[in-house]
Structure formats: structure tokens, C-alpha cells
Amino acid sequence: MGEFVRLEVADGIGTIRLERPPMNALNTRVQEELREAAQAATADEQVRAVIVFGGEKVFAAGADITEFTTVTYQDMVARAAALSGAFDAVARIPKPVVAAITGWALGGGCELALACDWRVVADDAKLGQPEIRLGIIPGAGGTQRLARLIGPARAKDLIFSGRMVDAEEALRIGLADRVVPAAEVYSAATELVRSYTTGPALALRAAKQAIDGGLSVDLAAGLALESHLFAGLFATDDRVEGTTAFVEKRKPKFTGR
């Protein structure tokens, strides 16, 4: 759908593909196309789950640093929100989303992976937030999502040092969810989300909203959000089908309605 980012849909799975050789550098154009692809995946009812994939060699090696050499403070004040918003559009896809990571996922590439629900990582991949080595910090969610995912102490270690982690360490600290041979990354990501393509779409949407929304509020507000979303599902066809199928001891046939 764009010059560097496209959405492909097959069998209920939408694949957001990055195609800006050689390293999928996330320049302003790519960021905007990512936003458009995320919005398209959100709106398309045929898409029940999403894979973000950079290809067989690299996920995304980060921002296009050549754009940063002449950017002023005034320029970045105007652009920073849009940068963060492009990744936030991926995080807000109300469907299961997995990053299929090969090669490098650094800087903005790592932040894009953090915006997904899970990360399937090649056994030879490298991940990290090396922005500190440029005299800056992550600016598209890295300081926030990484700390929430692996804890503040480990996030500070990676962000303060700018060091990269391999797949084994990423799995150990919770940055990766599965590690597989590089040639199997996309198929493993597909297998991870395949079951959700026939699941209760509205319940999955509510579950994601409850979990993600609850992380930014106190417990009482989170419980209130959960109760609201829980009650709303009693207006869905899938709730009728799911509970009836349970009573009748058969497999439910969800329609996403």
C-alpha cells in the first residue's frame, strides 16, 4: 500500500511488511506508511491477527540517522509526537500482533517490536536501544514500553549502555517470547497467531484493551475498565455461541460478532 510498507492479507492474518533495503531504516516516510498500514489492519474485518515482518535478513536497524544530522530542536518538537504516534498506531491495533524478528531490531526497530504483543526472534538476531551512543534517548516508546516489559532496572541497563542483546538473553529477560532458527521466524509467528483468526474477535479486542489500558492506571481504575469491557461482551453473538457450545459440549463457531 506504500512505497516501503505494505499490508498483505491471507487466511485471516495481515502481514505488515517493511521493505526498505538494505536495513529497513525507519525514515519519516516509513513511519507514516507504518501508521497507514496499522490503521488499515485495524479497519479490515478480514484481518483477525497481525504479523510485523522486516524480511528474512533484517527486521529494522533503527531510524534513518542521516535525517538527524541537520534536525534542530524546533524541528523535532514538531515531529516527535508524529514519530511516537506511528509506533503507537501499531500498539493500538485491537487484534493480536506479533513481531517476526530477523537480523537486527535496534533503536526504532526495537521500539516497533515493543509495540507488538509478542516477539518471535531468530536465534542469531540482535536487539537493543543504542540511541544513547548518539547523545539522545529512545523517542518512540522505548523508555516506556521496555521498562513495562522487562522492568525498570533491566531497561535502564540496556538504554543507559546502548548495548545489544542476543536472542538467548532477550528470551531470558522477557524481551523475546520465542526463539527459533532464522528460517523459521515467519512460520513460527504465523503459528503463534493462527488460532486467533477463528477466535472471538470482540472478546480478544476487549482483553487486549483491558490489559494494555490497565497498565497505565491504578488497580481500581483497571478493575473498573475490566468490568465495563466484561459486561459489554454480553451483547455479542460470540458470547451466546461460546456459552451455548460449552453447555452443549461442542466446539464453538465464532463469527467475530
Side-chain angles (χ1 to χ4, degrees):
M1 59 187 301
E3 182 179 359
F4 302 119
V5 182
R6 55 193 171 97
L7 174 65
E8 300 174 347
V9 182
D11 300 323
I13 297 175
T15 300
I16 297 176
R17 291 184 179 270
L18 306 179
E19 295 182 326
R20 189 184 180 222
M23 301 298 284
N24 288 334
L26 301 168
N27 67 356
T28 303
R29 178 72 174 271
V30 173
Q31 293 161 23
E32 289 308 307
E33 291 184 7
L34 266 173
R35 186 200 310 275
E36 293 168 3
Q39 291 170 343
T42 295
D44 190 341
E45 292 187 358
Q46 299 303 311
V47 175
R48 303 290 288 274
V50 176
I51 299 172
V52 181
F53 185 49
E56 297 178 355
K57 295 183 178 181
V58 63
F59 183 69
D64 189 339
I65 305 303
T66 60
E67 291 189 339
F68 287 1
T69 58
T70 58
V71 172
T72 66
Y73 166 73
Q74 291 81 2
D75 293 333
M76 191 51 70
V77 166
R79 288 172 50 184
L83 168 61
S84 183
F87 292 82
D88 202 46
V90 175
R92 292 182 180 276
I93 296 173
K95 303 167 186 182
V97 181
V98 58
I101 299 171
T102 57
W104 308 93
L106 303 176
C110 188
E111 289 173 304
L112 177 57
L114 290 170
C116 301
D117 299 313
W118 305 285
R119 285 145 293 279
V120 174
V121 177
D123 56 9
D124 60 354
K126 302 287 186 182
L127 298 85
Q129 300 285 172
E131 289 90 345
I132 202 78
R133 300 182 182 185
L134 303 175
I136 56 176
I137 64 172
T143 63
Q144 303 304 302
R145 292 194 176 97
L146 187 62
R148 284 166 169 76
L149 182 66
I150 68 174
R154 284 174 170 162
K156 288 174 183 176
D157 169 35
L158 297 189
I159 292 171
F160 288 5
S161 68
R163 71 182 183 88
M164 294 179 288
V165 299
D166 59 20
E168 181 181 355
E169 183 176 1
L171 183 64
R172 177 168 54 81
I173 65 177
L175 182 52
D177 297 287
R178 296 186 186 179
V179 173
V180 299
E184 299 175 15
V185 166
Y186 185 78
S187 60
T190 301
E191 188 62 29
L192 192 155
V193 298
R194 188 188 307 279
S195 64
Y196 302 119
T197 63
T198 55
L202 295 175
L204 288 166
R205 175 192 294 253
K208 182 168 180 173
Q209 185 178 351
I211 294 168
D212 290 350
L215 289 171
S216 62
V217 298
D218 61 30
L219 179 59
L223 291 170
L225 173 62
E226 179 187 75
S227 293
H228 171 74
L229 293 166
F230 171 72
L233 292 170
F234 280 77
T236 67
D237 293 345
D238 279 347
R239 187 274 306 176
V240 175
E241 170 63 11
T243 54
T244 302
F246 177 83
V247 172
E248 296 177 351
K249 296 182 172 55
R250 61 175 175 80
K251 186 176 180 179
K253 297 179 180 179
F254 295 119
T255 62
R257 301 291 182 182

